[in-house]
Amino acid sequence: MKTLGTFTHQTLSDNASAERTVNISVQSMGRTIFLTPDIITFLEGEGNYTFIYTNAGKRYLVSKTLKSLAEILANNFIRVHKSYLVNSNFVVERMEDDRMLKMSCGKEVIVSRRKIKEISNILNHTNRRISA
């Protein structure tokens, strides 16, 4: 019978601190760059790839699904559409009866028809600076 080495159990506080230090590595011009969630405005999924948009107006491509990235990012990231995950801290304006979100980087993100009410409620409670 094999004996396993000591097993450390992560506590809830360990998970919370791990969530704060999440960095997403991306390749850009032959270098590896680590993006922190606080500079990511939104993510756009296309199959097994995801485009990450930053507040500096840059776009990076990673070979991870939107779902896998959503699982590691904090609660302020909201799935608004099957192809979009937005950082609620960077939503500037809601347009077209909450069907469209304008981000601080200038891009516009569509909200799924089925999620309009849910997203509207979340943004009403989390972001007071958003105009309706």
Side-chain angles (χ1 to χ4, degrees):
M1 181 186 278
K2 286 187 177 180
T3 29
L4 299 174
T6 35
F7 176 76
T8 57
H9 178 62
Q10 278 190 321
T11 62
L12 200 54
S13 61
D14 290 342
N15 288 338
S17 64
E19 192 174 55
R20 280 186 229 116
T21 59
V22 169
N23 289 326
I24 300 171
S25 63
V26 297
Q27 297 294 319
S28 177
M29 293 189 273
R31 298 182 332 172
T32 301
I33 298 172
F34 293 97
L35 301 176
T36 57
D38 60 331
I39 65 164
I40 298 173
T41 56
F42 73 98
L43 298 94
E44 178 183 13
E46 288 189 19
N48 291 329
Y49 297 92
T50 301
F51 288 103
I52 300 174
Y53 294 83
T54 65
N55 58 359
K58 298 204 183 251
R59 181 176 87 159
Y60 300 98
L61 179 66
V62 293
S63 60
K64 293 183 180 179
T65 63
L66 192 60
K67 182 179 179 179
S68 68
L69 291 171
E71 291 171 354
I72 64 170
L73 291 170
N75 292 338
N76 58 323
F77 283 86
I78 306 167
R79 188 76 177 254
V80 297
H81 188 276
K82 72 176 186 174
S83 300
Y84 294 104
L85 182 70
V86 301
N87 186 341
S88 63
N89 297 334
F90 290 102
V91 177
V92 177
E93 185 180 0
R94 299 186 301 196
M95 305 177 307
E96 299 177 26
D97 296 327
D98 292 342
R99 185 82 164 94
M100 189 80 68
L101 300 176
K102 184 165 184 143
M103 307 304 292
S104 64
C105 62
K107 302 281 185 185
E108 295 176 355
V109 175
I110 194 164
V111 177
S112 171
R113 180 175 38 89
R114 294 180 181 179
K115 291 192 173 211
I116 291 174
K117 194 172 190 177
E118 175 190 350
I119 301 306
S120 181
N121 287 336
I122 291 170
L123 292 176
N124 284 338
H125 289 85
T126 59
N127 260 339
R128 299 289 179 207
R129 63 183 172 88
I130 299 173
S131 58

